[in-house]
Amino acid sequence: MTTQFPLKTGKGRLFIQPDAEAGREISRRKDKRLVSKLTTVKDAVNRYIHDGDYLALGGFGSNRISTSLLHEIVRQKRKDLGLAGHTVTHDCQILAAGRCFNRCDIAYVVGLEARGLSRNARSMFEDGSVEVTEWTNASLAWRFKAAAMGLPFLPARVMMGTDTFEYSGSKEILCPFTGKKLLALPALSPDVALIHVHRADIHGNCQIDGIIMADDDIAKASKRVIITTEKIIPVEDIRREPNRTVIPYWCVDAVIEMPFGSYPANMPGEYFSDEDHLKEWLAAEKDPETFKAFLEKNIFGCSDFYEYLQINGGIEKIKLLREKEFLSN
Amino acid sequence: MTTQFPLKTGKGRLFIQPDAEAGREISRRKDKRLVSKLTTVKDAVNRYIHDGDYLALGGFGSNRISTSLLHEIVRQKRKDLGLAGHTVTHDCQILAAGRCFNRCDIAYVVGLEARGLSRNARSMFEDGSVEVTEWTNASLAWRFKAAAMGLPFLPARVMMGTDTFEYSGSKEILCPFTGKKLLALPALSPDVALIHVHRADIHGNCQIDGIIMADDDIAKASKRVIITTEKIIPVEDIRREPNRTVIPYWCVDAVIEMPFGSYPANMPGEYFSDEDHLKEWLAAEKDPETFKAFLEKNIFGCSDFYEYLQINGGIEKIKLLREKEFLSN
Amino acid sequence: MADFNSMELMICIAARSLEDGAVVVVGTGAPCAAAMLAQKTNAPNLVIMFEAGGIAPLLPTMPISVGDSRTTHKALMASTMAEIMENCQRGLVDYCFLGGAQIDRFGNLNSTIIGSDHSRPKVRFPGSGGANDLASLCWRTMVVTPQDNKRFVEKLDFCTTPGFLNGGSSRADSGLPEGTGPYRVITDIGVYGFAPDTKEMQLLSLHPGRNTDDVCNNSGFEILIPEKYEYTLEPTEEELRVLRDVVDPLRYIIGR
Amino acid sequence: MADFNSMELMICIAARSLEDGAVVVVGTGAPCAAAMLAQKTNAPNLVIMFEAGGIAPLLPTMPISVGDSRTTHKALMASTMAEIMENCQRGLVDYCFLGGAQIDRFGNLNSTIIGSDHSRPKVRFPGSGGANDLASLCWRTMVVTPQDNKRFVEKLDFCTTPGFLNGGSSRADSGLPEGTGPYRVITDIGVYGFAPDTKEMQLLSLHPGRNTDDVCNNSGFEILIPEKYEYTLEPTEEELRVLRDVVDPLRYIIGR
C-alpha cells in the first residue's frame, strides 16, 4: 500500500512496529481497579523488565530519572534491551556500564550535555555492540505522542533532507489537504517505561513539578510503567487537585516510594544534580580497571540504592544538593 | 497531488483552509513582549472581532464561557460570523439571538444538553440561514490541536463510514506504515477565540481550574485571542507555579478582568450555572414577542454585562450559585 | 413483583451490564444514572469519564452537563476533551452510552437531522457531539432508548454515529478500530444484541410483561427473534432502593 | 581597545543579533550566555526557551542541562519537550543556536558521527538531540563555533541538521518550513551569512585583527568573500562588564 507514496523512506530499522490495534488490546487489558501497586525496586525490575525488552526512560538524562531502577537493571544483568534515546545522558551511561542494551533509537546519547562525553557509552556505539536508528528529540517525543493518542503515526516537519532522515525509520508523505511534503513518524510503544515523579498515590496517579519532558506521553504509550516517587501521598491529595495529575493510575504497573531516587541527577524543587559524583563517574571511565572498581563500589557492591546513596554522602550530601537547588550555595 | 489517494473525501466546505505556512507567519508576528493587554469588553469586541470572522468559543457550552463578550458581539450587531461548534450550547444560543453567524462547523449545536433545545437557534439551522459542515467533538478538538502543533492535518480513527464523514471536510488516507485506512482532519485556525479563565496576569498568562476542554489548543490555533478572567493576578503568581500556566501570554491579544463573567454558565470552583435563568431563556424563545422583550431586557437594554447580572439577581444571585457550586443547597 | 417504571428498568439493566473495573464514558441523564448505580452495586471499581475532560470523579449528584463541575468533583484527573477522546482511541474505554432520534437494524444512530435535505432539514438536532467519536473508538457501544416505530427505522435520515454500518464486515472494512461496535440496545421492551454474522439487531431478552409482538410492532425494521431468548430479570429491591434513594433522589431521570 | 577573548567576542556578537521581543531556544553554554547577555543589554524582552520544556525563566545562573531546574526558575510556563517543539513548528520561535563537529558551505551540521560507516563509526557523537528539529522549525538558525579546517569541511561525514541542504532552492523544496534556514555563523574569525541565491556561506564581517586569509585558511571549503564586508564592532565595556559580572561570574563559559 505504501508504494502509493513515491516518496523517500528512511532505511533505519523500526525496533517497534506501529500497531494501533495491538496498542488498543494492551490498553484494554490494563487493570482499571484502584488497587495498591506498591512494591520494591528489586521486585519491579524482576517482574516487569525482561531481557530483550524495549525501554523508555522518563525525565531528561540527568534530570528526574529513575536511578534506583537503572542500577537494579545493571545489578540483575539485563541484556539485549532496546533503548529510546530521546536525550538519555547519565541514564544511558548507567545502562552502558552494564552493557545492558543492544539497539537504540537515538536522538541524544553518550553525552552528558555540558559535562562531556561518556567514554564507556561511546565505545558501545563505536564497536558495533548497538544497532542504531537515528531520530531527533522532537521526533521521538512525537512518536510517543502518536502511541499515546492511539494513532499509528503523526506528521511532522522535521528531519527532511538530512542524513538523520536517511538513517531513521520515518517516511515522507504528502499532506492530503495542501499537497506539500511532510514527514510521517511511526508510533512508538515501548515495552517498559521507568519514570521518577515527585508524588504518587499507591495506585499510580502521579504529580510532577516543573517540566514534564515527554513523561505523560511515554506513560500512555508504554505497555508497562514502573513509577518511583519521592513521596507516596494519599489518593485524597490527588483528588484535591485533579489538575495536577500528569500520569493516571491505569498506565502504571508498579509504584515504589524512593526518596532521593533521582540522585545523582537533578530533581526539580528537591535537590540539584551531584556534579562532583557525575565528574567522578566520567573520569573513572577513562581507565578500565578504575571503572571496574568504580562500578563494583557503586553498583554491584551495593545491595540497594540507599547503600549507593550512603557511600556517596547520604543524607548529608542530599542536604547540600538541596541547598544548591535553592541557590543558597 | 491528493488524487494519489483513491479514497473518499467529505463534501462539506472547509470554512478555513489548513495552511501551516500562514499559521507560522501569524505566530511570528505576535507580540512577544510582556506588555499589558488590559482593556474593556467593548473595546476588545470592537477592535478584534469583525463581521465575517470565524470564531472559536472556549469552555463547553454552559460551562466556563465568555458571556460578557458574547453579549457584546450581539449588542455590536456583528454579522456573518463563522462558528466552531465543538459543543456550543448557551453560547450558541446567545449568538443565535443576534443572528450573528452564517456558517458553522458542527459537532453539537442548538441543544443545551439535558435542558432541551433552543428553538431560536434551531430555526437558524432549519431555515437555511447557516451553512453547515458536520464534524464531531473529537474531530474539532483535534483540528484545533493540529493547528496548535503547527501541522496542516492530524490523522484520526473516527467518523469513517458515516454521513457525518460525508458531510464533513475530512478525507480518508492510508497509514504510510500499516497501510490501513485513517481519517485526515484539516487543521483549524479560527480568526478569534473567546476564552474565560479563572486567573490571568495582565500579559495574558492564564490559569484554569478543572477541565481545560480544548482551550489550550484553541488559544494556540487562533489568530487572535480575547481572555476574560475572574481575576487578574500578578505575574509573580504565574511565575510561582509555572506548571499551572495553561495559555501563555503570547497567544493573547486582550485581557479583561470580568468577575462572574461566565454567568449564567457554570464556573468550576466559583459558581454553578443559573438553571432558572437558562430555563427562562429557553421558555422565552417559544414566542417571538416574548423573546424580543427578553432580549431587549437582557442584552440590548443593558449597557454592559454587570447590568445584565444585576437585573438577574446581582451578587446575591452569585452567592446562591456559589452555595450550589459547593453543594450546600 | 416490585413496582418500577420503564426508565428505572432500563437503568438497572444498563447498570448490570457494566462489570467491575470497566471504563465507561457517559453523558448526562440515564447513562450517568446507570453508571452511578453500577458503582454502588455490582461495579465499585467502575471508572466513569466525561467527554469534556472529567476523569473518575466521586459524583456527589447528577451532572447537568458533561462539562460541569460535578464531573470533576474529587476527580482523579481534570483533563481535556482531546485527552478523553485519545483515551478512547488508545483502546482504554470499554463502554460508551448513546441515544439518538433514530436507530437502524445495524445499530447506526441519527442525532443530526430529520428530512432529506441536509442544508434545509425539517428538524435540526444537535449533531454528533461526541457520539460518533465514542461509538467509533470505545470497545462496546450501549444504546439506551425508548422503542417505537419512529425511532426504530428501516433507513436513517442521516447516519450520525456508526453502528455496524451496512452490516456484515462493513464496519471492520471501514477503517474503524477492530473489534468495536454496538453491544446492547436497551429499550422499554427488551434487550437486543447483534447477530454475529450479519450484524442485524436480534432479541436477547424480553422485559416482564412484554412479548415478541411488542418487539415487532414497535420497530420499522425486522428485529431477529432467535428460537431461544431470555426474559429480563426484574430490578431487585436493592437496585431500586439505591437508584431511588442514592443515585436520583430528586427523580430527575427516573421521574421522566 | 578592550581586552577580551574569542569566546567573549562570539557571545557578545551573538547577543547583539537578538532583537528585543524575539523568541530564542538555547542550549547550555555560549548560546545561553548570549541570550542572558542580550536580555540584560539590548533585548530585555527576549523570550528564552529550553527544548526540554522550560519557558521564559528568570535565569538565576547558567543551567548545566537544558532540562535542569534553573530552566524553570520563576518561569512563565513549565511544559514538555513536545510543547516546545510544537511552538517551533507553529512558527513562534525566531532563533535557535547550534554548534556541531562539522559544518559545510550550506550551513549543514554534523553532530552524529565521524567516519563513513554509520554502523561502525570512528567516533560516535551524541546525535541530533533537538538540533535537527530546531534548525528545521525555527525561523533563523545561529551557529556559534570556533573555526578551523577540521570543522569547516567540504563534505560532512553525516548531515545531522539541515542548513540550506544542497544550496539553491533545495531547502525550500525539501518540505521544511518556508523562509527558514541558517542565518549567521559566528566564529572566532568572523561573522558569516549566506548568499541569497546559491545559499553559500559568505563573509559578513571580520573580527578585529583578522584578515581574509584567516577566513580562507581555516575552512575546508571556499567561503565567499564579497567586495564589501564589515569589520566586527568590538564588545563594549558595558557588554563585557555584564557578561563577566552578571552572566558568567564564575567564568564557566568565558573561561574556556
Side-chain angles (χ1 to χ4, degrees):
Chain A
M1 307 287 259
T2 55
T3 55
Q4 293 205 10
F5 307 98
L7 297 157
K8 283 191 280 186
T9 294
K11 60 185 168 194
R13 185 156 79 92
L14 284 186
F15 303 122
I16 305 265
Q17 292 291 332
D19 184 342
E21 307 300 340
R24 286 178 57 85
E25 281 297 338
I26 287 158
S27 295
R28 187 181 203 175
R29 287 196 302 264
K30 282 254 172 183
D31 192 346
K32 315 301 186 328
R33 294 168 310 144
L34 281 170
V35 294
S36 169
K37 292 162 187 163
L38 283 181
T39 184
T40 63
V41 161
K42 244 185 205 57
D43 175 66
V45 170
N46 189 52
R47 189 139 41 121
Y48 295 111
I49 306 179
H50 319 301
D51 285 355
D53 277 352
Y54 185 101
L55 258 61
L57 310 179
F60 193 88
S62 55
N63 308 288
R64 202 168 50 67
I65 59 173
S66 303
T67 312
S68 60
L69 292 167
L70 293 162
H71 281 206
E72 186 63 23
I73 289 171
V74 173
R75 257 193 303 271
Q76 291 195 21
K77 298 191 192 303
R78 286 291 172 284
K79 291 291 168 199
D80 303 333
L81 299 175
L83 187 59
H86 62 298
T87 297
V88 282
T89 73
H90 182 55
D91 40 7
C92 174
Q93 187 180 27
I94 296 170
L95 293 179
R99 297 186 90 75
C100 298
F101 57 93
N102 67 1
R103 61 203 190 281
C104 185
D105 284 311
I106 294 186
Y108 183 102
V109 295
V110 314
L112 272 79
E113 298 188 81
R115 301 172 190 96
L117 298 175
S118 158
R119 191 173 283 227
N120 181 60
R122 267 174 76 172
S123 73
M124 283 187 73
F125 287 87
E126 288 167 359
D127 68 13
S129 308
V130 185
E131 184 183 3
V132 305
T133 303
E134 301 286 340
W135 302 92
T136 66
N137 276 344
S139 59
L140 283 181
W142 287 326
R143 290 185 65 197
F144 293 130
K145 190 187 276 276
M149 291 176 75
L151 293 172
F153 86 98
L154 267 180
R157 307 193 69 190
V158 296
M159 286 168 67
M160 290 177 285
T162 63
D163 290 332
T164 307
F165 167 79
E166 295 289 342
Y167 286 85
S168 79
S170 60
K171 290 170 188 260
E172 290 180 343
I173 59 169
L174 296 180
C175 173
F177 295 96
T178 65
K180 290 186 185 168
K181 223 184 282 178
L182 293 169
L183 196 75
L185 297 168
L188 176 54
S189 299
D191 293 309
V192 196
L194 317 182
I195 301 175
H196 187 66
V197 304
H198 289 81
R199 292 169 296 280
D201 70 14
I202 59 172
H203 317 294
N205 292 295
C206 302
Q207 297 180 346
I208 292 172
D209 297 341
I211 54 173
I212 311 299
M213 289 88 161
D215 293 4
D216 49 348
D217 289 326
I218 288 174
K220 290 172 201 156
S222 298
K223 298 185 183 73
R224 301 185 291 281
V225 175
I226 307 176
I227 298 291
T228 55
T229 175
E230 289 287 322
K231 199 179 171 192
I232 293 284
I233 58 171
V235 65
E236 289 75 20
D237 285 10
I238 297 284
R239 291 191 186 277
R240 197 163 11 247
E241 289 188 284
N243 278 95
R244 290 300 313 273
T245 307
V246 171
I247 298 173
Y249 73 97
W250 56 71
C251 295
V252 175
D253 297 273
V255 178
I256 301 134
E257 188 171 39
M258 185 57 64
F260 323 124
S262 179
Y263 174 88
N266 176 213
M267 188 67 184
E270 295 289 335
Y271 41 90
F272 203 68
S273 44
D274 184 351
E275 292 303 317
D276 294 336
H277 182 63
L278 291 172
K279 250 181 226 148
E280 187 193 347
W281 192 308
L282 280 171
E285 291 185 354
K286 286 181 185 161
D287 174 68
E289 285 311 304
T290 311
F291 190 43
K292 206 177 154 198
F294 178 88
L295 290 180
E296 187 53 38
K297 175 183 162 201
N298 283 288
I299 297 189
F300 296 110
C302 294
S303 65
D304 64 18
F305 178 74
Y306 288 112
E307 217 173 306
Y308 164 68
L309 184 60
Q310 193 54 44
I311 62 176
N312 285 291
I315 301 296
E316 290 303 313
K317 169 66 78 61
I318 293 288
K319 280 176 64 182
L320 289 173
L321 298 175
R322 266 201 215 288
E323 284 177 35
K324 200 168 173 200
E325 176 69 10
F326 293 110
L327 301 163
S328 54
N329 64 353
Chain B
M1 305 287 258
T2 57
T3 56
Q4 293 204 11
F5 306 98
L7 296 158
K8 284 191 281 186
T9 295
K11 61 186 169 194
R13 185 155 79 90
L14 284 186
F15 302 123
I16 305 266
Q17 292 291 332
D19 185 342
E21 308 299 339
R24 286 179 56 86
E25 281 297 339
I26 287 157
S27 295
R28 187 180 203 175
R29 287 196 301 264
K30 282 254 172 183
D31 191 346
K32 316 301 186 328
R33 294 169 308 144
L34 282 170
V35 294
S36 170
K37 293 161 187 165
L38 283 180
T39 182
T40 63
V41 162
K42 244 185 204 62
D43 175 67
V45 170
N46 188 53
R47 192 146 31 129
Y48 295 110
I49 307 179
H50 319 301
D51 285 355
D53 277 351
Y54 185 100
L55 257 60
L57 310 178
F60 193 88
S62 55
N63 309 288
R64 201 167 52 67
I65 58 173
S66 303
T67 313
S68 59
L69 292 166
L70 293 162
H71 280 206
E72 186 63 24
I73 289 171
V74 173
R75 256 193 305 271
Q76 291 196 21
K77 297 190 192 306
R78 287 291 172 281
K79 291 292 168 196
D80 303 333
L81 299 175
L83 187 58
H86 62 297
T87 297
V88 283
T89 74
H90 181 55
D91 40 7
C92 174
Q93 187 180 27
I94 297 170
L95 293 179
R99 298 186 89 75
C100 297
F101 56 94
N102 67 1
R103 62 201 188 283
C104 186
D105 284 310
I106 293 185
Y108 183 103
V109 295
V110 314
L112 273 78
E113 298 186 79
R115 302 172 190 93
L117 298 174
S118 158
R119 192 173 282 225
N120 181 61
R122 268 175 77 172
S123 74
M124 282 188 74
F125 288 86
E126 288 166 359
D127 68 12
S129 307
V130 184
E131 183 183 2
V132 306
T133 302
E134 301 286 339
W135 303 91
T136 66
N137 275 345
S139 59
L140 283 181
W142 288 325
R143 290 185 65 196
F144 292 130
K145 190 188 276 275
M149 291 176 75
L151 294 172
F153 86 98
L154 268 179
R157 307 193 68 190
V158 296
M159 287 169 66
M160 290 178 285
T162 63
D163 290 333
T164 307
F165 167 79
E166 296 288 342
Y167 287 85
S168 79
S170 60
K171 290 170 188 260
E172 290 179 343
I173 59 169
L174 296 180
C175 172
F177 296 96
T178 65
K180 290 186 184 167
K181 224 184 282 177
L182 293 169
L183 196 75
L185 297 168
L188 177 54
S189 299
D191 293 311
V192 196
L194 317 181
I195 301 175
H196 187 65
V197 304
H198 289 80
R199 292 169 296 281
D201 70 13
I202 59 172
H203 316 295
N205 292 296
C206 301
Q207 297 180 346
I208 292 173
D209 298 341
I211 53 173
I212 311 299
M213 289 89 162
D215 293 5
D216 49 348
D217 289 326
I218 288 175
K220 290 172 201 156
S222 297
K223 298 186 184 73
R224 301 185 291 282
V225 176
I226 307 176
I227 298 291
T228 56
T229 176
E230 290 287 321
K231 200 179 171 193
I232 293 284
I233 58 172
V235 65
E236 289 74 20
D237 285 9
I238 297 284
R239 292 193 186 276
R240 194 157 20 242
E241 289 188 284
N243 279 95
R244 290 300 313 274
T245 307
V246 171
I247 298 172
Y249 72 97
W250 56 71
C251 295
V252 175
D253 297 274
V255 178
I256 301 135
E257 187 170 38
M258 185 57 62
F260 324 124
S262 180
Y263 174 88
N266 176 213
M267 188 68 185
E270 295 289 335
Y271 42 89
F272 203 68
S273 44
D274 184 352
E275 293 303 318
D276 294 336
H277 182 63
L278 290 172
K279 252 181 224 148
E280 188 193 346
W281 192 307
L282 280 171
E285 291 185 352
K286 287 179 184 161
D287 173 68
E289 284 311 304
T290 311
F291 190 44
K292 207 179 152 198
F294 177 89
L295 290 180
E296 187 53 38
K297 175 185 161 200
N298 282 288
I299 298 189
F300 297 109
C302 295
S303 65
D304 63 19
F305 177 74
Y306 289 112
E307 218 174 305
Y308 164 68
L309 184 59
Q310 193 54 44
I311 61 177
N312 286 291
I315 300 296
E316 290 302 313
K317 170 67 77 62
I318 292 289
K319 281 176 64 181
L320 290 173
L321 298 174
R322 267 202 213 287
E323 285 177 34
K324 201 169 171 198
E325 176 69 11
F326 293 110
L327 301 162
S328 54
N329 66 352
Chain C
M1 178 169 155
D3 192 32
F4 51 85
N5 65 30
S6 345
M7 184 56 88
E8 290 171 328
L9 177 62
M10 290 194 288
I11 291 172
C12 288
I13 297 166
R16 286 177 203 159
S17 318
L18 301 170
E19 67 273 18
D20 199 33
V23 183
V24 58
V25 173
V26 299
T28 53
C32 187
M36 284 175 75
L37 177 58
Q39 257 189 348
K40 290 168 202 306
T41 53
N42 54 302
N45 283 291
L46 185 72
V47 183
I48 301 179
M49 292 188 192
F50 293 88
E51 66 182 89
I55 294 181
L58 301 180
L59 285 174
T61 172
M62 210 78 73
I64 195 160
S65 158
V66 298
D68 78 28
S69 34
R70 275 52 169 143
T71 66
T72 50
H73 183 78
K74 299 188 183 174
L76 289 179
M77 198 167 181
S79 72
T80 66
M81 195 145 71
E83 170 110 13
I84 299 296
M85 295 302 188
E86 287 157 21
N87 281 338
C88 296
Q89 194 161 254
R90 211 170 63 247
L92 190 82
V93 180
D94 298 290
Y95 296 96
C96 64
F97 275 97
L98 301 175
Q102 296 177 328
I103 184 169
D104 71 12
R105 73 180 72 236
F106 300 118
N108 303 300
L109 293 162
N110 174 16
S111 58
T112 301
I113 55 165
I114 297 295
S116 54
D117 180 356
H118 177 257
S119 63
R120 287 267 189 159
K122 252 171 36 198
V123 182
R124 174 75 217 191
F125 293 120
S128 159
N132 180 299
D133 309 313
L134 298 172
S136 293
L137 302 174
C138 299
W139 290 101
R140 292 171 162 182
T141 301
M142 312 276 285
V143 178
V144 179
T145 178
Q147 181 180 344
D148 60 49
N149 284 308
K150 278 195 161 173
R151 286 177 192 266
F152 281 57
V153 297
E154 180 63 34
K155 189 171 167 9
L156 301 179
D157 285 18
F158 191 97
C159 174
T160 310
T161 296
F164 286 111
L165 298 176
N166 300 315
S169 67
S170 61
R171 182 178 170 115
D173 300 339
S174 69
L176 293 174
E178 290 169 18
T180 56
Y183 178 66
R184 294 287 181 266
V185 178
I186 299 166
T187 79
D188 48 341
I189 294 172
V191 178
Y192 307 98
F194 294 85
D197 46 353
T198 65
K199 308 294 186 189
E200 286 172 283
M201 199 182 293
Q202 66 180 15
L203 180 65
L204 288 182
S205 88
L206 265 180
H207 293 343
R210 297 295 196 166
N211 58 46
T212 54
D213 282 352
D214 294 334
V215 171
C216 301
N217 295 339
N218 288 284
S219 175
F221 56 86
E222 192 195 332
I223 295 177
L224 304 181
I225 314 272
E227 280 188 34
K228 288 177 92 165
Y229 51 84
E230 308 280 323
Y231 293 89
T232 311
L233 290 177
E234 288 187 5
T236 64
E237 295 290 345
E238 174 64 7
E239 284 172 332
L240 289 171
R241 189 192 62 75
V242 175
L243 178 56
R244 290 167 181 170
D245 296 355
V246 184
V247 173
D248 190 19
L250 299 174
R251 302 182 58 77
Y252 283 132
I253 313 298
I254 60 180
R256 277 184 194 169
Chain D
M1 179 167 156
D3 192 31
F4 51 86
N5 65 31
S6 337
M7 184 56 88
E8 289 172 328
L9 176 63
M10 290 194 286
I11 291 172
C12 288
I13 297 166
R16 286 177 203 158
S17 320
L18 300 169
E19 67 273 19
D20 199 33
V23 183
V24 57
V25 173
V26 298
T28 53
C32 187
M36 284 175 75
L37 177 58
Q39 258 190 347
K40 290 170 201 305
T41 54
N42 54 303
N45 282 291
L46 184 72
V47 184
I48 301 179
M49 293 188 192
F50 293 89
E51 66 182 273
I55 296 181
L58 302 180
L59 285 174
T61 172
M62 211 78 73
I64 195 160
S65 157
V66 298
D68 79 28
S69 35
R70 275 53 168 142
T71 65
T72 50
H73 183 79
K74 299 187 184 174
L76 289 179
M77 199 167 180
S79 73
T80 65
M81 196 145 71
E83 170 108 11
I84 299 296
M85 294 303 188
E86 288 157 21
N87 281 338
C88 295
Q89 194 160 254
R90 210 170 64 248
L92 191 82
V93 180
D94 298 291
Y95 295 97
C96 63
F97 274 97
L98 300 175
Q102 296 177 327
I103 184 169
D104 71 12
R105 73 179 73 234
F106 299 118
N108 304 300
L109 293 162
N110 173 17
S111 58
T112 300
I113 55 165
I114 296 296
S116 54
D117 180 356
H118 178 256
S119 62
R120 288 263 189 163
K122 257 181 18 209
V123 182
R124 174 75 217 191
F125 293 119
S128 160
N132 179 299
D133 309 312
L134 299 171
S136 294
L137 302 173
C138 298
W139 290 101
R140 292 170 164 183
T141 301
M142 312 275 285
V143 179
V144 179
T145 178
Q147 180 180 343
D148 58 50
N149 283 309
K150 277 196 161 172
R151 288 176 190 265
F152 281 56
V153 297
E154 180 63 33
K155 191 173 166 9
L156 302 179
D157 284 18
F158 191 97
C159 174
T160 310
T161 296
F164 286 111
L165 297 176
N166 300 314
S169 67
S170 61
R171 181 177 171 116
D173 300 340
S174 70
L176 293 175
E178 291 169 17
T180 56
Y183 177 65
R184 294 285 181 268
V185 178
I186 299 166
T187 79
D188 48 341
I189 294 171
V191 178
Y192 308 97
F194 294 85
D197 46 353
T198 65
K199 308 294 185 189
E200 287 172 282
M201 199 181 294
Q202 66 179 15
L203 179 64
L204 287 182
S205 87
L206 265 181
H207 292 344
R210 298 294 195 166
N211 59 45
T212 54
D213 282 351
D214 294 333
V215 171
C216 301
N217 295 340
N218 288 285
S219 175
F221 57 86
E222 192 194 332
I223 296 178
L224 304 181
I225 314 272
E227 279 190 34
K228 287 177 91 165
Y229 52 83
E230 309 280 323
Y231 293 89
T232 310
L233 290 176
E234 289 187 4
T236 64
E237 294 290 344
E238 175 64 7
E239 284 170 332
L240 289 171
R241 188 192 63 76
V242 175
L243 177 57
R244 291 166 181 172
D245 295 356
V246 185
V247 172
D248 190 18
L250 299 176
R251 302 182 59 77
Y252 283 132
I253 313 298
I254 59 179
R256 277 185 195 169

